[in-house]
Amino acid sequence: MRTRTTDDRDRATELRHAIDRTGYYPEVVADGVAAAVAGEQVVSFFVHHEPTFERDEVRRHLSVVVLTPSRLVLAHTDEHPGDDLLPEPYTSTSTEAVSLSAVKSVVVTRNIANPTSGPSRPAEVVMTIGWGGVARIDLEPAGCSDPECEADHGYTGVLSSDDFSLRVSAAADGADAVHGLLSFAESLSAATHG
């Protein structure tokens, strides 16, 4: 994890160093991120390296989120074993650039251990960003207040935007990662509050 917050400096060099420190195909990741950033100033960023377990193998995933003056850039790089189309092991990098004016929500969930002890650093943070690219609907049967009622009241539900979500915890990623994600979320919230 690495992040930097807003000021007038271009943080592109710091972003590159953060990508290099992960050791996860840094040339491949940096190339994909640079192409998506397209020369804009890097205002803030967060780099999250996450290994996943697939049967008896460990697969790695890297998420890079970048705030520029006009866009939110997301990049995901995964590694894959060879397959029928590409017999050699390979990586796939997907990037998405979202106009800041399109960002509709930045939801930050802070999980605090032992809250009766007063304010403390979060043990875990989840940042969810919505811009309307992906919507999720949760439906459940509707009812009424009459416990004897057997009528069909249809369904009720919630439609929520859930385009991108990132979770970090102090136990798995370190306290710096939690602080870094909070810092990035603050920068993004400030850039989209208009």
Coordinates of all heavy atoms in Angstrom, one line a residue, residues 36-117:
A36 N -3.5 4.9 -18.9 CA -4.8 5.4 -18.4 C -4.8 6.8 -17.9 O -5.7 7.6 -18.1 CB -5.4 4.4 -17.4
V37 N -3.7 7.1 -17.2 CA -3.6 8.5 -16.6 C -3.4 9.5 -17.7 O -3.8 10.7 -17.6 CB -2.4 8.5 -15.5 CG1 -2.1 10.0 -15.1 CG2 -2.8 7.7 -14.3
A38 N -2.7 9.1 -18.8 CA -2.6 9.9 -20.0 C -2.0 11.2 -19.8 O -2.4 12.2 -20.4 CB -4.0 10.0 -20.7
G39 N -0.9 11.3 -19.0 CA -0.2 12.5 -18.8 C -0.8 13.5 -17.8 O -0.2 14.5 -17.6
E40 N -1.9 13.2 -17.3 CA -2.5 14.1 -16.3 C -1.7 14.1 -15.0 O -1.0 13.1 -14.7 CB -3.9 13.7 -16.0 CG -5.0 14.3 -16.9 CD -6.4 14.2 -16.3 OE1 -7.0 13.1 -16.4 OE2 -6.8 15.2 -15.7
Q41 N -1.8 15.1 -14.2 CA -1.2 15.2 -12.9 C -1.8 14.2 -12.0 O -3.0 14.0 -11.9 CB -1.4 16.6 -12.3 CG -0.9 16.8 -10.9 CD -1.3 18.1 -10.3 OE1 -2.1 18.9 -10.9 NE2 -0.9 18.3 -9.0
V42 N -0.9 13.5 -11.3 CA -1.4 12.5 -10.2 C -1.5 13.3 -8.9 O -0.5 13.8 -8.4 CB -0.4 11.4 -10.1 CG1 -0.8 10.5 -8.9 CG2 -0.3 10.6 -11.4
V43 N -2.8 13.5 -8.5 CA -3.1 14.3 -7.3 C -2.9 13.4 -6.1 O -2.4 13.8 -5.0 CB -4.5 14.9 -7.4 CG1 -4.9 15.6 -6.1 CG2 -4.6 15.8 -8.6
S44 N -3.5 12.2 -6.1 CA -3.5 11.2 -5.0 C -3.6 9.8 -5.6 O -4.0 9.6 -6.7 CB -4.7 11.5 -4.1 OG -4.6 10.7 -2.9
F45 N -3.1 8.8 -4.8 CA -3.1 7.4 -5.3 C -3.1 6.5 -4.2 O -2.8 6.8 -3.0 CB -2.0 7.1 -6.3 CG -0.6 7.2 -5.6 CD1 -0.1 6.1 -5.0 CD2 0.1 8.4 -5.6 CE1 1.1 6.2 -4.4 CE2 1.3 8.5 -5.0 CZ 1.9 7.4 -4.4
F46 N -3.5 5.2 -4.5 CA -3.5 4.1 -3.5 C -3.1 2.9 -4.3 O -3.8 2.6 -5.3 CB -4.8 4.0 -2.8 CG -4.7 3.0 -1.7 CD1 -4.2 3.3 -0.5 CD2 -5.2 1.7 -1.9 CE1 -4.1 2.3 0.6 CE2 -5.2 0.7 -0.9 CZ -4.6 1.1 0.4
V47 N -2.2 2.1 -3.8 CA -1.7 0.9 -4.5 C -2.0 -0.2 -3.5 O -1.5 -0.2 -2.3 CB -0.2 1.0 -4.9 CG1 0.2 -0.4 -5.4 CG2 0.0 2.1 -5.8
H48 N -2.7 -1.3 -3.9 CA -3.0 -2.4 -3.0 C -2.7 -3.7 -3.7 O -3.3 -4.1 -4.7 CB -4.5 -2.3 -2.7 CG -4.9 -3.3 -1.6 ND1 -5.8 -4.4 -1.9 CD2 -4.6 -3.5 -0.3 CE1 -5.9 -5.1 -0.8 NE2 -5.2 -4.6 0.1
H49 N -1.8 -4.4 -3.1 CA -1.4 -5.7 -3.6 C -2.1 -6.8 -2.8 O -2.0 -6.8 -1.5 CB 0.1 -5.9 -3.5 CG 0.7 -7.2 -4.0 ND1 1.7 -7.9 -3.4 CD2 0.3 -7.9 -5.1 CE1 1.9 -8.9 -4.1 NE2 1.1 -9.0 -5.1
E50 N -2.8 -7.7 -3.4 CA -3.7 -8.7 -2.7 C -3.5 -10.0 -3.3 O -3.9 -10.3 -4.5 CB -5.1 -8.2 -2.8 CG -6.1 -9.2 -2.1 CD -7.5 -8.7 -2.3 OE1 -7.8 -7.9 -3.1 OE2 -8.3 -9.2 -1.5
P51 N -2.8 -11.0 -2.6 CA -2.8 -12.3 -3.1 C -4.1 -13.0 -2.8 O -4.8 -12.8 -1.9 CB -1.7 -13.0 -2.2 CG -1.6 -12.1 -1.0 CD -2.1 -10.8 -1.4
T52 N -4.5 -13.9 -3.8 CA -5.7 -14.7 -3.6 C -5.3 -16.2 -3.8 O -4.3 -16.5 -4.4 CB -6.8 -14.4 -4.6 OG1 -6.2 -14.5 -5.9 CG2 -7.2 -12.9 -4.4
F53 N -6.1 -17.0 -3.2 CA -5.8 -18.5 -3.2 C -6.8 -19.2 -4.2 O -8.0 -19.0 -4.0 CB -5.9 -19.1 -1.8 CG -4.9 -18.4 -0.9 CD1 -5.2 -17.4 -0.1 CD2 -3.6 -18.9 -0.9 CE1 -4.3 -16.8 0.7 CE2 -2.6 -18.3 -0.1 CZ -3.0 -17.2 0.7
E54 N -6.3 -19.9 -5.1 CA -7.1 -20.6 -6.1 C -6.7 -22.1 -6.1 O -5.6 -22.4 -6.6 CB -6.9 -20.0 -7.5 CG -7.8 -20.5 -8.5 CD -7.6 -19.8 -9.9 OE1 -8.0 -18.6 -9.9 OE2 -7.1 -20.5 -10.8
R55 N -7.5 -22.9 -5.5 CA -7.1 -24.3 -5.3 C -5.8 -24.4 -4.5 O -5.7 -23.9 -3.4 CB -7.2 -25.1 -6.6 CG -8.6 -25.3 -7.1 CD -8.6 -25.9 -8.4 NE -8.7 -24.7 -9.3 CZ -8.8 -24.7 -10.5 NH1 -8.8 -25.8 -11.2 NH2 -8.8 -23.6 -11.2
D56 N -4.8 -24.9 -5.2 CA -3.5 -25.1 -4.5 C -2.5 -24.1 -5.0 O -1.3 -24.2 -4.8 CB -3.0 -26.5 -4.7 CG -2.8 -26.9 -6.2 OD1 -3.3 -26.1 -7.0 OD2 -2.1 -27.9 -6.5
E57 N -3.0 -23.0 -5.6 CA -2.0 -22.0 -6.1 C -2.4 -20.6 -5.6 O -3.5 -20.3 -5.2 CB -2.1 -21.9 -7.7 CG -1.7 -23.1 -8.4 CD -1.7 -23.0 -9.9 OE1 -1.4 -21.9 -10.4 OE2 -2.1 -23.9 -10.6
V58 N -1.3 -19.8 -5.5 CA -1.5 -18.4 -5.0 C -1.5 -17.5 -6.3 O -0.6 -17.6 -7.1 CB -0.4 -18.0 -4.1 CG1 -0.6 -16.5 -3.7 CG2 -0.4 -18.8 -2.8
R59 N -2.5 -16.7 -6.4 CA -2.6 -15.8 -7.5 C -2.5 -14.4 -6.9 O -3.0 -14.1 -5.9 CB -3.9 -15.9 -8.3 CG -4.1 -17.3 -8.9 CD -3.8 -17.2 -10.4 NE -4.0 -18.5 -10.9 CZ -3.0 -19.3 -11.3 NH1 -1.8 -18.9 -11.2 NH2 -3.2 -20.5 -11.8
R60 N -1.9 -13.5 -7.6 CA -1.8 -12.1 -7.1 C -2.6 -11.2 -7.9 O -2.9 -11.4 -9.1 CB -0.3 -11.7 -7.2 CG 0.6 -12.6 -6.3 CD 2.0 -12.2 -6.3 NE 2.6 -12.5 -7.6 CZ 3.8 -12.0 -8.0 NH1 4.5 -11.4 -7.2 NH2 4.2 -12.3 -9.2
H61 N -3.1 -10.2 -7.2 CA -3.9 -9.1 -7.8 C -3.4 -7.8 -7.3 O -3.1 -7.6 -6.1 CB -5.4 -9.3 -7.4 CG -6.3 -8.2 -7.9 ND1 -6.8 -8.2 -9.1 CD2 -6.7 -7.1 -7.2 CE1 -7.6 -7.1 -9.2 NE2 -7.5 -6.4 -8.1
L62 N -3.3 -6.8 -8.2 CA -2.9 -5.5 -7.8 C -3.9 -4.5 -8.3 O -4.3 -4.5 -9.4 CB -1.5 -5.1 -8.4 CG -0.9 -3.8 -7.9 CD1 -0.4 -4.0 -6.5 CD2 0.2 -3.4 -8.8
S63 N -4.4 -3.7 -7.3 CA -5.3 -2.6 -7.7 C -4.6 -1.3 -7.5 O -3.9 -1.1 -6.4 CB -6.6 -2.6 -6.7 OG -7.3 -3.7 -6.9
V64 N -4.7 -0.4 -8.4 CA -4.1 1.0 -8.3 C -5.3 1.9 -8.6 O -5.9 1.8 -9.7 CB -3.0 1.2 -9.4 CG1 -2.4 2.6 -9.2 CG2 -1.9 0.1 -9.2
V65 N -5.5 2.9 -7.7 CA -6.5 3.9 -7.9 C -5.8 5.2 -7.9 O -4.9 5.5 -7.0 CB -7.7 3.9 -6.8 CG1 -8.6 2.7 -7.1 CG2 -7.1 3.9 -5.4
V66 N -6.1 6.1 -8.9 CA -5.4 7.3 -9.1 C -6.4 8.4 -9.2 O -7.4 8.3 -10.0 CB -4.5 7.3 -10.3 CG1 -3.8 8.6 -10.5 CG2 -3.5 6.1 -10.2
L67 N -6.2 9.5 -8.5 CA -7.0 10.7 -8.6 C -6.2 11.7 -9.4 O -5.1 12.0 -9.1 CB -7.3 11.3 -7.2 CG -8.1 12.6 -7.2 CD1 -9.5 12.4 -7.8 CD2 -8.2 13.0 -5.7
T68 N -6.8 12.2 -10.5 CA -6.2 13.3 -11.3 C -7.1 14.5 -11.1 O -8.2 14.4 -10.5 CB -6.1 12.9 -12.8 OG1 -7.4 13.0 -13.4 CG2 -5.5 11.5 -13.0
P69 N -6.7 15.6 -11.6 CA -7.6 16.8 -11.5 C -9.0 16.6 -12.1 O -10.0 17.3 -11.7 CB -6.9 17.9 -12.2 CG -5.4 17.5 -12.1 CD -5.4 16.0 -12.2
S70 N -9.1 15.7 -13.1 CA -10.4 15.6 -13.7 C -11.0 14.2 -13.7 O -12.2 14.0 -14.0 CB -10.3 16.0 -15.2 OG -9.5 15.1 -15.9
R71 N -10.2 13.2 -13.3 CA -10.7 11.8 -13.4 C -10.3 10.9 -12.2 O -9.3 11.2 -11.5 CB -10.2 11.1 -14.7 CG -10.6 11.8 -15.9 CD -10.0 11.2 -17.2 NE -8.6 11.2 -17.2 CZ -7.8 10.3 -17.6 NH1 -8.3 9.2 -18.1 NH2 -6.5 10.4 -17.5
L72 N -11.0 9.8 -12.0 CA -10.6 8.7 -11.2 C -10.2 7.6 -12.1 O -11.0 7.2 -13.0 CB -11.8 8.3 -10.3 CG -11.7 7.0 -9.5 CD1 -10.6 7.2 -8.5 CD2 -13.0 6.6 -9.0
V73 N -9.0 7.1 -11.9 CA -8.5 6.1 -12.8 C -8.3 4.8 -11.9 O -7.7 4.9 -10.8 CB -7.1 6.5 -13.4 CG1 -6.5 5.3 -14.2 CG2 -7.3 7.7 -14.3
L74 N -8.8 3.7 -12.4 CA -8.7 2.4 -11.7 C -8.0 1.5 -12.6 O -8.3 1.4 -13.8 CB -10.1 1.9 -11.3 CG -10.9 2.8 -10.5 CD1 -12.0 3.4 -11.3 CD2 -11.5 2.0 -9.3
A75 N -7.0 0.7 -12.0 CA -6.3 -0.3 -12.8 C -6.2 -1.5 -12.0 O -5.9 -1.5 -10.8 CB -4.9 0.2 -13.1
H76 N -6.4 -2.7 -12.6 CA -6.4 -4.0 -11.9 C -5.5 -4.9 -12.8 O -5.7 -5.0 -14.0 CB -7.8 -4.6 -11.8 CG -8.7 -3.8 -11.1 ND1 -8.8 -3.7 -9.7 CD2 -9.7 -3.0 -11.5 CE1 -9.7 -2.9 -9.3 NE2 -10.3 -2.4 -10.4
T77 N -4.5 -5.5 -12.2 CA -3.7 -6.4 -12.8 C -3.7 -7.8 -12.1 O -3.6 -7.8 -10.9 CB -2.2 -5.9 -12.9 OG1 -2.2 -4.7 -13.5 CG2 -1.3 -6.9 -13.6
D78 N -4.0 -8.8 -12.9 CA -4.1 -10.2 -12.4 C -3.1 -11.0 -13.2 O -2.8 -10.8 -14.3 CB -5.5 -10.8 -12.6 CG -6.5 -10.1 -11.7 OD1 -6.4 -10.3 -10.5 OD2 -7.3 -9.3 -12.3
E79 N -2.6 -12.1 -12.6 CA -1.8 -13.1 -13.3 C -2.6 -14.4 -13.5 O -3.5 -14.7 -12.7 CB -0.5 -13.4 -12.5 CG -0.7 -14.0 -11.1 CD 0.6 -14.2 -10.4 OE1 1.7 -14.1 -11.0 OE2 0.5 -14.6 -9.2
H80 N -2.3 -15.0 -14.6 CA -3.1 -16.2 -15.1 C -2.1 -17.3 -15.5 O -1.1 -17.0 -16.1 CB -4.0 -15.8 -16.2 CG -4.9 -14.7 -16.0 ND1 -6.1 -14.7 -15.3 CD2 -4.7 -13.3 -16.3 CE1 -6.6 -13.5 -15.2 NE2 -5.8 -12.7 -15.8
P81 N -2.5 -18.5 -15.3 CA -1.7 -19.6 -15.9 C -2.0 -19.7 -17.4 O -2.9 -19.0 -17.9 CB -2.3 -20.9 -15.2 CG -3.7 -20.5 -14.9 CD -3.7 -19.0 -14.6
G82 N -1.1 -20.3 -18.1 CA -1.4 -20.5 -19.6 C -2.7 -21.2 -19.8 O -3.2 -21.9 -19.0
D83 N -3.3 -20.9 -21.0 CA -4.6 -21.6 -21.4 C -4.5 -21.9 -22.9 O -3.5 -21.8 -23.5 CB -5.7 -20.7 -21.0 CG -5.7 -19.3 -21.6 OD1 -5.1 -19.1 -22.7 OD2 -6.2 -18.3 -21.0
D84 N -5.7 -22.2 -23.4 CA -5.7 -22.6 -24.8 C -5.3 -21.4 -25.8 O -4.7 -21.7 -26.8 CB -7.1 -23.0 -25.2 CG -7.5 -24.3 -24.5 OD1 -6.6 -25.1 -24.1 OD2 -8.7 -24.6 -24.4
L85 N -5.6 -20.2 -25.4 CA -5.3 -19.1 -26.3 C -3.9 -18.6 -26.1 O -3.2 -18.2 -27.0 CB -6.3 -18.0 -26.1 CG -7.7 -18.3 -26.5 CD1 -8.7 -17.1 -26.2 CD2 -7.8 -18.5 -28.0
L86 N -3.5 -18.5 -24.8 CA -2.1 -18.1 -24.5 C -1.5 -19.2 -23.6 O -1.7 -19.3 -22.4 CB -2.2 -16.8 -23.7 CG -2.7 -15.6 -24.4 CD1 -2.9 -14.4 -23.5 CD2 -1.7 -15.1 -25.5
P87 N -0.7 -20.0 -24.3 CA -0.1 -21.2 -23.5 C 0.9 -20.8 -22.4 O 1.1 -21.5 -21.5 CB 0.6 -22.0 -24.6 CG 0.7 -21.2 -25.8 CD -0.3 -20.0 -25.7
E88 N 1.5 -19.6 -22.5 CA 2.4 -19.2 -21.5 C 1.7 -18.5 -20.4 O 0.6 -17.9 -20.7 CB 3.4 -18.2 -22.1 CG 4.3 -18.8 -23.2 CD 5.3 -19.8 -22.7 OE1 5.9 -19.5 -21.6 OE2 5.6 -20.8 -23.4
P89 N 2.2 -18.5 -19.1 CA 1.5 -17.7 -18.1 C 1.5 -16.2 -18.5 O 2.4 -15.7 -19.2 CB 2.4 -17.8 -16.9 CG 3.1 -19.1 -17.1 CD 3.3 -19.2 -18.6
Y90 N 0.5 -15.5 -18.1 CA 0.3 -14.1 -18.6 C -0.4 -13.2 -17.5 O -0.9 -13.7 -16.6 CB -0.4 -14.0 -19.9 CG -1.9 -14.5 -19.8 CD1 -2.9 -13.6 -19.7 CD2 -2.2 -15.8 -20.0 CE1 -4.2 -14.1 -19.6 CE2 -3.5 -16.3 -19.9 CZ -4.5 -15.4 -19.8 OH -5.8 -15.8 -19.7
T91 N -0.3 -11.9 -17.7 CA -1.0 -11.0 -16.9 C -2.1 -10.3 -17.7 O -2.0 -10.2 -18.9 CB -0.1 -9.9 -16.3 OG1 0.4 -9.1 -17.4 CG2 1.0 -10.4 -15.5
S92 N -3.1 -9.8 -17.0 CA -4.2 -9.0 -17.7 C -4.3 -7.7 -16.8 O -4.4 -7.8 -15.6 CB -5.5 -9.7 -17.8 OG -6.0 -10.0 -16.5
T93 N -4.3 -6.6 -17.5 CA -4.4 -5.3 -16.8 C -5.6 -4.6 -17.5 O -5.7 -4.4 -18.7 CB -3.2 -4.4 -17.0 OG1 -2.1 -5.1 -16.4 CG2 -3.4 -3.1 -16.3
S94 N -6.6 -4.3 -16.6 CA -7.8 -3.6 -17.0 C -7.8 -2.2 -16.4 O -7.5 -2.1 -15.2 CB -9.1 -4.3 -16.6 OG -9.1 -5.6 -17.1
T95 N -8.1 -1.2 -17.2 CA -8.1 0.2 -16.6 C -9.4 0.8 -17.0 O -10.1 0.4 -18.0 CB -7.0 1.0 -17.2 OG1 -7.1 1.1 -18.6 CG2 -5.6 0.5 -16.8
E96 N -9.9 1.7 -16.1 CA -11.1 2.4 -16.3 C -10.8 3.8 -15.8 O -10.3 4.1 -14.8 CB -12.2 1.8 -15.5 CG -13.6 2.5 -15.7 CD -14.7 1.7 -15.1 OE1 -14.5 0.7 -14.4 OE2 -15.9 2.1 -15.3
A97 N -11.3 4.8 -16.6 CA -11.1 6.2 -16.3 C -12.5 6.8 -16.2 O -13.3 6.7 -17.1 CB -10.3 7.0 -17.3
V98 N -12.9 7.4 -15.0 CA -14.2 7.9 -14.7 C -14.1 9.4 -14.5 O -13.2 9.8 -13.6 CB -14.8 7.2 -13.5 CG1 -16.2 7.8 -13.2 CG2 -14.8 5.7 -13.7
S99 N -14.9 10.2 -15.2 CA -14.9 11.6 -14.9 C -15.3 11.9 -13.5 O -16.2 11.3 -13.0 CB -15.9 12.3 -15.9 OG -16.0 13.6 -15.5
L100 N -14.6 12.8 -12.8 CA -15.0 13.1 -11.4 C -16.4 13.6 -11.3 O -17.1 13.4 -10.3 CB -14.0 14.2 -10.8 CG -12.6 13.7 -10.6 CD1 -11.7 14.8 -10.0 CD2 -12.6 12.5 -9.6
S101 N -16.9 14.3 -12.4 CA -18.3 14.8 -12.3 C -19.3 13.6 -12.3 O -20.4 13.8 -11.9 CB -18.5 15.7 -13.5 OG -18.4 15.0 -14.7
A102 N -18.8 12.4 -12.8 CA -19.7 11.2 -12.8 C -19.8 10.5 -11.5 O -20.7 9.7 -11.3 CB -19.3 10.3 -13.9
V103 N -18.8 10.7 -10.6 CA -18.7 10.0 -9.3 C -19.9 10.5 -8.5 O -20.0 11.7 -8.2 CB -17.4 10.2 -8.6 CG1 -17.4 9.5 -7.2 CG2 -16.3 9.6 -9.4
K104 N -20.8 9.5 -8.1 CA -22.0 9.9 -7.4 C -21.8 9.7 -5.9 O -22.5 10.3 -5.1 CB -23.2 9.0 -7.9 CG -23.5 9.4 -9.3 CD -24.6 8.5 -9.8 CE -24.9 8.8 -11.3 NZ -25.7 7.8 -11.9
S105 N -20.9 8.7 -5.5 CA -20.8 8.5 -4.1 C -19.4 7.9 -3.7 O -18.8 7.2 -4.5 CB -21.9 7.5 -3.6 OG -21.7 6.2 -4.2
V106 N -18.9 8.3 -2.6 CA -17.7 7.7 -2.0 C -18.1 7.3 -0.6 O -18.4 8.1 0.3 CB -16.6 8.8 -1.9 CG1 -15.3 8.1 -1.3 CG2 -16.3 9.3 -3.3
V107 N -18.3 6.0 -0.4 CA -18.7 5.5 0.9 C -17.5 4.9 1.6 O -16.8 4.1 1.0 CB -19.8 4.4 0.7 CG1 -20.2 3.8 2.1 CG2 -21.0 4.9 -0.1
V108 N -17.3 5.3 2.9 CA -16.2 4.8 3.6 C -16.7 4.2 4.9 O -17.4 4.9 5.7 CB -15.2 6.0 4.0 CG1 -14.0 5.4 4.8 CG2 -14.6 6.6 2.7
T109 N -16.4 3.0 5.1 CA -16.8 2.3 6.3 C -15.6 2.0 7.2 O -14.6 1.4 6.7 CB -17.5 0.9 6.0 OG1 -18.6 1.2 5.1 CG2 -18.0 0.2 7.3
R110 N -15.6 2.5 8.4 CA -14.5 2.3 9.3 C -14.9 1.4 10.4 O -15.9 1.6 11.1 CB -14.1 3.7 10.0 CG -13.6 4.7 9.1 CD -13.6 6.1 9.8 NE -13.0 7.1 9.0 CZ -13.7 7.8 8.1 NH1 -14.9 7.5 7.8 NH2 -13.1 8.7 7.4
N111 N -14.1 0.3 10.6 CA -14.4 -0.7 11.7 C -13.4 -0.4 12.8 O -12.2 -0.5 12.6 CB -14.3 -2.1 11.2 CG -15.4 -2.4 10.1 OD1 -16.5 -1.9 10.2 ND2 -15.0 -3.2 9.1
I112 N -14.0 0.0 14.0 CA -13.2 0.3 15.1 C -13.3 -0.8 16.2 O -14.4 -1.2 16.6 CB -13.7 1.6 15.8 CG1 -13.8 2.8 14.7 CG2 -12.8 2.0 17.0 CD1 -12.5 3.3 14.3
A113 N -12.2 -1.4 16.6 CA -12.2 -2.4 17.6 C -12.3 -1.7 19.0 O -11.8 -0.6 19.2 CB -10.9 -3.2 17.6
N114 N -13.0 -2.4 19.9 CA -13.2 -1.9 21.3 C -13.7 -0.4 21.3 O -13.0 0.4 21.9 CB -11.9 -2.0 22.1 CG -11.4 -3.4 22.2 OD1 -12.2 -4.3 22.4 ND2 -10.1 -3.6 21.9
P115 N -14.8 -0.2 20.8 CA -15.3 1.2 20.7 C -15.6 1.8 22.1 O -15.7 3.1 22.2 CB -16.6 1.1 19.8 CG -17.0 -0.3 20.0 CD -15.8 -1.1 20.2
T116 N -15.8 1.0 23.1 CA -16.1 1.6 24.4 C -14.9 2.3 25.0 O -15.0 3.0 26.0 CB -16.6 0.5 25.4 OG1 -15.6 -0.6 25.4 CG2 -17.9 -0.1 24.9
S117 N -13.7 2.0 24.4 CA -12.5 2.7 24.9 C -12.3 4.1 24.3 O -11.3 4.7 24.6 CB -11.3 1.8 24.5 OG -11.4 0.5 25.1

